[in-house]
């Protein structure tokens, strides 16, 4: 098993090295004991000395945490100082040592992949793309370490399930893809409110096109980040159509009525003249929105600060509702995992729960990086317009579907949709060819 794990992860390390230069340049826009640990077996309780005084308890062990940086350049404390200070109380309460290592974003995935094959790797790992490492056996399943009462306190707990088991615990959740609207433009066009359904949205686009000089709506099908485009311009609509991305075997299966309905809806923007032939070169829609040249677009909630700075009179809806009554969209869900080769898993789980607790997360959101609360007792620090969405509508959010060779699948799908907009493929041909090419690679 270990040989298989090492072989798989060596391959992942090579892949991570190849992809290291392809990331987004902006970076990232309560305990149940499980029995005796290996450390417990090796440490005997010291006897009382001759004076009757008990000696100090045995050390609770040492664990290592790997996490990337989030502090801004003008933050009062840096990431290392923040986490060291946060763990002071935990170390005292558990008579242990927690070693936090801040790993730069550049090369982070490769560092993790290498680390989990080594006895010198971390016990707790911050991860944003866990599937391959889960399949390689690198992460400890968390199901038995958390009670039902505990998991009920986590708003986004289900986003950490992979293959039916809980392998990661969502930590940094947010930057959801939402529909932004310039309300001055909508009012000028005679659109009284933010559209809520597919039909209302298309009707609003037509009114804006007819009554203003502003582009109604755009998508970034010329964007350099394939994943960034799909998370705003395909996945939300597929979920809104009512589709399940993965079948019962955990494989992608979008060649269905929902996939066809999604692509026909997206193509209708070209057919209706909302898009033109330049849509496959479009890659800067945020700038156009902030300049008042674009009425509506789907983008991350983290962009709202600059919209406000530019004086845009904006409003939003978390997601459109599709023809079957489903409202859904994409959300980031970076998480924490426990290394399967950790020698002190119980302590690592306790430290994980501590990191996710309301006091620690409140401090992180206030001092380091404002995101939505992940537990029911945590405070909210993001823009107040998004508060209800983030705290009461968790059911509408989906993270990346996790499956074998996902990057290749998304690459094929992206290119085929581009071909559809260029007139070289029909919506049905996009689905047929995507599944055929992916099947040749995987099955």
């Amino acid at each position: 098993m270990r040989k298989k794990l090492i072989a798989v992860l060596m391959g992942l390390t090579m892949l991570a090295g190849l992809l290291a230069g392809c990331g987004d340049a902006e970076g990232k826009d309560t305990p149940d004991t499980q029995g005796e640990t290996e450390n417990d077996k090796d440490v005997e309780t010291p006897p009382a000395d001759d004076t009757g005084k008990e000696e100090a308890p045995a050390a609770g062990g040492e664990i290592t945490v790997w996490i990337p940086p989030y502090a801004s350049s003008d933050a009062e404390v840096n990431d290392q100082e923040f986490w060291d200070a946060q763990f002071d109380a935990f170390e005292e309460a558990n008579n242990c040592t927690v070693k936090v290592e801040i790993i730069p974003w550049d090369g982070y995935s490769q560092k993790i992949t290498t680390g989990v094959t080594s006895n010198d790797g971390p016990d707790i790992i911050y991860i944003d793309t866990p599937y391959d490492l889960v399949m390689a056996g690198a992460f400890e399943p968390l199901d038995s370490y958390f009670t039902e009462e505990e998991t009920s306190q986590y708003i986004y707990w289900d986003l950490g399930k992979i293959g039916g088991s809980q392998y990661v615990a969502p930590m940094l959740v947010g930057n959801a893809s939402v529909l932004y609207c310039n309300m001055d433009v909508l009012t000028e066009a005679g659109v009284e409110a933010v559209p809520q359904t597919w039909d209302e949205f298309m009707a609003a686009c037509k009114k804006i096109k007819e009554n203003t000089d502003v582009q109604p709506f755009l998508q970034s099908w010329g964007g350099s980040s394939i994943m960034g485009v799909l998370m705003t311009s395909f996945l939300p609509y597929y979920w809104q159509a009512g589709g399940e991305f993965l079948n019962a075997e955990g494989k992608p299966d979008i060649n269905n009525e929902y996939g066809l309905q999604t692509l026909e809806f997206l193509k209708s923007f070209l057919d209706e003249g909302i898009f033109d032939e330049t849509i496959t070169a479009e890659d800067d829609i945020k700038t156009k929105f902030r300049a008042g040249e674009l009425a509506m677009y789907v983008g991350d909630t983290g962009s709202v600060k600059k919209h406000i700075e530019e004086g845009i009179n904006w409003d939003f809806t978390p997601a459109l509702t599709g023809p079957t009554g489903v409202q859904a969209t994409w959300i980031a869900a970076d998480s924490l995992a426990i290394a399967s080769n950790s020698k002190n898993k119980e302590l690592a789980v306790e430290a994980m729960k501590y990191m996710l607790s309301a006091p620690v997360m409140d401090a992180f959101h206030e001092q380091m990086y404002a995101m939505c609360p992940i537990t029911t007792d945590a405070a909210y620090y993001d823009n107040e317009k998004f508060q209800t969405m983030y705290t009461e509508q968790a059911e509408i959010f989906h993270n990346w579907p996790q499956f074998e060779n996902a990057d290749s699948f998304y690459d094929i799908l992206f290119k085929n949709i581009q071909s559809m907009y260029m007139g070289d493929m029909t919506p049905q041909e996009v689905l047929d060819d995507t599944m055929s090419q992916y099947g040749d690679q995987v099955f």
Side-chain angles (χ1 to χ4, degrees), residues 276-355:
D276 61 26
E277 67 278 1
T278 65
I279 190 64
T280 56
E282 187 63 59
D283 67 350
D284 195 18
I285 56 178
K286 286 183 182 180
T287 298
K288 291 183 177 180
F289 183 78
R290 291 167 186 159
E293 300 170 0
L294 178 63
M296 299 183 289
Y297 87 104
V298 175
D300 63 284
T301 59
S303 297
V304 75
K305 291 180 181 178
K306 290 187 178 179
H307 298 346
I308 294 171
E309 289 173 1
E310 294 298 325
I312 299 298
N313 177 22
W314 67 279
D315 206 345
F316 84 108
T317 185
L320 294 173
T321 298
T324 60
V326 176
Q327 185 183 30
T329 193
W330 181 92
I331 194 170
D334 292 8
S335 304
L336 297 179
I338 302 297
S340 59
N341 62 3
S342 169
K343 294 180 173 60
N344 204 339
K345 294 184 179 70
E346 286 77 12
L347 181 62
V349 170
E350 295 307 309
M352 171 190 279
K353 293 178 181 181
Y354 178 78
M355 292 176 72

Side-chain angles (χ1 to χ4, degrees), residues 152-171:
S152 68
Q153 303 303 308
Y154 294 98
I155 300 172
Y156 303 101
W157 185 250
D158 287 345
L159 293 179
K161 289 188 180 297
I162 301 173
S165 294
Q166 193 82 24
Y167 280 96
V168 298
M171 175 187 174

Side-chain angles (χ1 to χ4, degrees), residues 412-423:
I412 296 167
L413 176 62
F414 176 82
K415 291 175 180 176
N416 282 344
I417 294 176
Q418 285 184 319
S419 293
M420 178 187 76
Y421 282 124
M422 290 186 288

Side-chain angles (χ1 to χ4, degrees), residues 196-415:
Q196 301 296 321
T197 68
W198 282 14
D199 288 343
E200 290 179 4
F201 185 60
M202 180 57 74
C205 286
K206 291 179 180 179
K207 276 192 171 184
I208 294 166
K209 180 177 173 60
E210 292 169 1
N211 300 318
T212 77
D213 295 326
V214 178
Q215 176 72 36
F217 174 60
L218 283 174
Q219 294 180 320
S220 296
W221 286 103
S224 59
S225 170
I226 291 175
M227 307 298 268
V229 176
L230 292 177
M231 75 188 191
T232 59
S233 303
F234 175 79
L235 285 173
Y237 303 97
Y238 181 80
W239 291 318
Q240 290 161 18
E244 292 289 339
F245 204 92
L246 305 180
N247 61 22
E249 297 177 348
K251 294 181 172 60
D253 185 11
I254 63 170
N255 194 355
N256 51 44
E257 61 180 304
Y258 309 109
L260 183 59
Q261 198 167 31
T262 300
L263 290 175
E264 287 177 341
F265 178 63
L266 294 178
K267 185 174 180 294
S268 70
F269 292 102
L270 183 64
D271 297 338
E272 296 290 344
I274 307 303
F275 297 166
D276 61 26
E277 67 278 1
T278 65
I279 190 64
T280 56
E282 187 63 59
D283 67 350
D284 195 18
I285 56 178
K286 286 183 182 180
T287 298
K288 291 183 177 180
F289 183 78
R290 291 167 186 159
E293 300 170 0
L294 178 63
M296 299 183 289
Y297 87 104
V298 175
D300 63 284
T301 59
S303 297
V304 75
K305 291 180 181 178
K306 290 187 178 179
H307 298 346
I308 294 171
E309 289 173 1
E310 294 298 325
I312 299 298
N313 177 22
W314 67 279
D315 206 345
F316 84 108
T317 185
L320 294 173
T321 298
T324 60
V326 176
Q327 185 183 30
T329 193
W330 181 92
I331 194 170
D334 292 8
S335 304
L336 297 179
I338 302 297
S340 59
N341 62 3
S342 169
K343 294 180 173 60
N344 204 339
K345 294 184 179 70
E346 286 77 12
L347 181 62
V349 170
E350 295 307 309
M352 171 190 279
K353 293 178 181 181
Y354 178 78
M355 292 176 72
L356 300 175
S357 67
V360 175
M361 282 290 94
D362 286 351
F364 183 86
H365 293 154
E366 185 174 18
Q367 299 178 44
M368 298 283 107
Y369 193 76
M371 292 282 268
C372 60
I374 58 170
T375 56
T376 56
D377 58 342
Y380 182 84
Y381 289 94
D382 211 341
N383 186 283
E384 62 180 12
K385 275 192 175 184
F386 300 134
Q387 183 167 0
T388 298
M389 174 187 74
Y390 277 135
T391 59
E392 299 179 16
Q393 293 182 267
E395 72 282 354
I396 73 172
F397 294 126
H398 301 256
N399 193 231
W400 288 108
Q402 309 255 357
F403 54 92
E404 182 182 358
N405 210 9
D407 287 347
S408 177
F409 180 90
Y410 291 131
D411 182 65
I412 296 167
L413 176 62
F414 176 82
K415 291 175 180 176

Side-chain angles (χ1 to χ4, degrees), residues 114-125:
T114 303
V116 294
T117 66
S118 167
N119 289 330
D120 296 324
D123 300 271
I124 301 175
I125 308 162

